[in-house]
Amino acid sequence: NKKSVNWDGYHNIATTNLHVRNALDCYCTGPNWCYVAAHSAGDLQIGYALALYGTTTRPVKDPVPDAGGQCASAAGGGTQPGWNIKWVDVAGGAGGGSELADSGDWALSEPLVSDLKTSTARAMYNHNSTSGKWFYLFAGSKGTLYSFILPGQDDEAIAHCTEAIRLDPN
């Protein structure tokens, strides 16, 4: 059963990550397991959630949201460490930021784009700490007129070198 996490795609990761964590609490606790698919800044979102909150005590929720989109505690309640995630698939991930966000004043006009600056994205959390969850990253290689800004091959927004595989054996 596919579920969408509708964070706004505009505000900073730290501000909107609560939506991601709420969805993981709702659908990925108790007897429920998740396969996570992400794209672009969704890579930064799931990496941030796992690195900073992936081993914290989470409430076990009933995976049936109310009209407001919130899930109630499961019958019997309880808590568990982290979330039940099998793996994370990321297409065109911006977990390491994008050199496009580094170039120009336009990057300062939107909060999320400022988070996508490579220095900001790479300092936001420990990218090697994914609570033992495997990330499988898929990159495109189209290139475009402004590809000279991006090192090596790119998908028109993300350079391949920013899409490194993150594995945490713990």
Side-chain angles (χ1 to χ4, degrees):
N1 295 335
K2 298 175 203 97
K3 303 296 179 193
S4 177
V5 179
N6 294 315
W7 62 284
D8 68 9
Y10 177 82
H11 290 94
N12 294 92
I13 298 296
T15 303
T16 56
N17 193 255
L18 179 62
H19 299 293
V20 174
R21 296 191 312 268
N22 284 341
L24 294 172
D25 287 345
C26 185
Y27 300 110
C28 310
T29 58
N32 303 307
W33 283 83
C34 293
Y35 301 91
V36 177
H39 172 256
S40 193
D43 183 17
L44 200 55
Q45 283 281 15
I46 190 65
Y48 183 93
L50 288 172
L52 299 180
Y53 302 96
T55 59
T56 61
T57 302
R58 311 305 305 171
V60 175
K61 301 279 188 156
D62 179 2
V64 180
D66 62 20
Q70 298 297 311
C71 293
S73 293
T79 60
Q80 71 176 58
W83 298 286
N84 303 328
I85 297 174
K86 295 280 187 183
W87 42 253
V88 178
D89 273 352
V90 179
S98 173
E99 287 78 3
L100 286 179
D102 293 344
S103 62
D105 292 333
W106 71 276
L108 300 174
S109 64
E110 294 185 9
L112 177 60
V113 177
S114 67
D115 278 358
L116 290 172
K117 288 185 168 213
T118 55
S119 60
T120 303
R122 294 170 190 179
M124 198 173 289
Y125 60 90
N126 181 350
H127 287 68
N128 293 316
S129 178
T130 60
S131 303
K133 310 308 180 206
W134 286 68
F135 278 62
Y136 297 95
L137 303 168
F138 305 91
S141 60
K142 178 138 172 102
T144 190
L145 179 62
Y146 50 80
S147 286
F148 67 90
I149 294 172
L150 302 167
Q153 288 291 315
D154 64 85
D155 68 0
E156 295 187 6
I158 309 294
H160 286 193
C161 63
T162 62
E163 298 184 74
I165 296 175
R166 291 189 301 275
L167 304 174
D168 180 0
N170 299 322

